[in-house]
């Protein structure tokens, strides 16, 4: 009876951890950030449209358009922050994978097996970054 996991079990677990970190940093988080960046573009267009409508509106309806602009602006800022956060998460996953590779004794073998099978996943390229929606001033300020 052994006291802990065997080297093969440890290597297998480290490999699974490395693959999950690399996949999250190179694929999962960047894909979601790209999706959110697209929503940012759409919301930016809607915000521009709301501003144009507010400029044309009579005084009676301007309060409604101000609320609409504010809602669009806050949603746009939330999406923008989400893109930044997802990009940061992708970088963090790759940094965690690199640290795991350096700290674990059996990680060299696990990494070699993973990089042999999935070289695109484990190359030293930085995490893909989705374009950040540009900062906008608050239209109601």
């Amino acid at each position: 009876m052994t006291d802990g996991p065997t080297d093969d079990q440890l290597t297998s677990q480290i490999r699974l951890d490395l693959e999950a970190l690399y996949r999250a940093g190179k694929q999962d988080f960047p894909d979601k950030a790209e999706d959110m960046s697209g929503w940012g573009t759409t919301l930016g267009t809607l915000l521009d449209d709301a501003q144009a409508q507010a400029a044309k509106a009579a005084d009676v309806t301007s309060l409604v358009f101000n609320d609409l602009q504010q809602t669009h602006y806050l949603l746009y800022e939330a999406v923008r922050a989400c893109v930044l956060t997802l990009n940061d998460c992708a970088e963090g996953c790759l940094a965690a994978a690199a640290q795991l590779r350096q700290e674990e004794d059996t990680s060299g073998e696990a990494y070699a097996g993973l990089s042999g099978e999935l070289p695109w996943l484990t190359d030293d390229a930085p995490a893909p970054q989705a374009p950040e929606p540009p900062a906008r001033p608050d239209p109601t300020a």
Side-chain angles (χ1 to χ4, degrees), residues 59-75:
D59 289 338
V60 176
T61 59
S62 64
L63 292 176
V64 172
F65 280 112
N66 280 343
D67 287 345
L68 181 63
Q69 286 181 75
Q70 185 65 29
T71 301
H72 278 111
Y73 173 74
L74 293 174
L75 186 55

Side-chain angles (χ1 to χ4, degrees), residues 17-30 85-103 111 114 118-129:
D17 293 344
L18 283 171
E19 182 175 354
L21 287 168
Y22 278 115
R23 193 170 300 280
K26 296 270 180 131
Q27 189 175 25
D28 298 340
F29 281 116
T85 301
L86 289 167
N87 282 339
D88 289 346
C89 287
E91 289 177 2
C93 286
L94 295 183
Q99 185 174 359
L100 178 62
R101 278 177 34 203
Q102 293 172 358
E103 291 181 356
Y111 178 75
L114 184 61
L118 303 168
W120 65 270
L121 199 61
T122 56
D123 64 14
D124 288 330
Q129 298 288 292

